[in-house]
Amino acid sequence: MGDPQNSRLRIDPTTHLPSVQSFGELSHFLRSAMADDESLQLADGMGNMAASIEAVLARLQRKPDPVALAPALIDLMTVLREHRSLVIALSPAWRGLYEYASYLAALNNFRVLIGQWLLPARTQSADNGATERPIGLEDFELIAWRLLGEGMLLIDMYEQLCRREAIDSSVAALDQAQVQKARHWWERLRR
């Protein structure tokens, strides 16, 4: 994410690299200064997803029963759909990034997984039997961190693109000034 000294993330003392250790820290990072309105909206959406993911994780830690987990998963699915709609509506500058397609694929895969995890809950409540594939805390947490990491990478790459365009435009302005100086110098020589 850039130079650790200028990072908005906490620096891990063992690796001396920026680090996020909880979904709360991720939400805090995402709420920090962003490049523009779209970045801020995307970060807010990711923060909402992080909060919903934390709710599911809290239930998984207490009781990994799919039937008891279903309401939290449905809430997460709703937040995920809203966030996906936001991602699809981003400007073309975002869609030109490789990370955009990767993040959209990760969102779609996470949505499919949540749907698959919800199916056994519906089957179990109808049959009162055991589920075929319960949700594991480690599996869910790993997939959630991967998804949010993809989103952070997308935001970071977009911010780098914005900074690069700002630098390029300032260099172009500098070149115009140099051209003007050269013209003035040339005019003086011709007199």
Side-chain angles (χ1 to χ4, degrees), residues 77-153:
M77 181 77 84
T78 302
V79 170
L80 186 63
R81 283 183 181 141
E82 290 170 359
H83 183 68
R84 185 179 176 277
S85 296
L86 174 84
V87 170
I88 289 172
L90 290 172
S91 67
W94 290 86
R95 287 183 246 137
L97 294 170
Y98 168 82
E99 293 78 10
Y100 174 84
S102 181
Y103 184 54
L104 193 57
L107 283 170
N108 289 333
N109 291 337
F110 194 53
R111 189 175 57 142
V112 167
L113 274 174
I114 292 171
Q116 288 174 350
W117 283 332
L118 280 168
L119 285 176
R122 197 174 88 207
T123 305
Q124 181 181 2
S125 64
D127 298 342
N128 289 336
T131 62
E132 295 174 18
R133 185 171 183 238
I135 303 172
L137 177 66
E138 296 81 19
D139 293 339
F140 183 81
E141 195 169 21
L142 177 71
I143 294 166
W145 273 114
R146 180 178 180 268
L147 170 70
L148 294 171
E150 291 279 348
M152 288 176 65
L153 182 60

Side-chain angles (χ1 to χ4, degrees), residues 158-178:
Y158 178 75
E159 287 182 349
Q160 287 183 32
L161 175 69
C162 290
R163 278 186 292 232
R164 190 172 347 133
E165 288 174 353
I167 289 170
D168 290 346
S169 66
S170 68
V171 168
L174 188 72
D175 289 342
Q176 289 296 331
Q178 289 174 343

Side-chain angles (χ1 to χ4, degrees), residues 6-23:
N6 297 328
S7 177
R8 294 174 291 199
L9 298 173
R10 181 179 61 81
I11 304 299
D12 185 327
T14 58
T15 63
H16 302 290
L17 295 173
S19 172
V20 173
Q21 298 296 319
S22 71
F23 291 101

Side-chain angles (χ1 to χ4, degrees), residues 20-28 31 46-62 69 72-73 75-76 79 110 114 137 140-141 144-145 147-148:
V20 173
Q21 298 296 319
S22 71
F23 291 101
E25 287 179 15
L26 175 67
S27 292
H28 177 68
R31 285 188 189 98
M46 287 179 61
N48 291 340
M49 274 196 324
S52 294
I53 288 167
E54 279 187 328
V56 171
L57 284 171
R59 289 194 181 193
L60 272 172
Q61 288 172 345
R62 285 189 310 241
L69 212 66
L73 286 172
D75 290 343
L76 177 57
V79 170
F110 194 53
I114 292 171
L137 177 66
F140 183 81
E141 195 169 21
W145 273 114
L147 170 70
L148 294 171

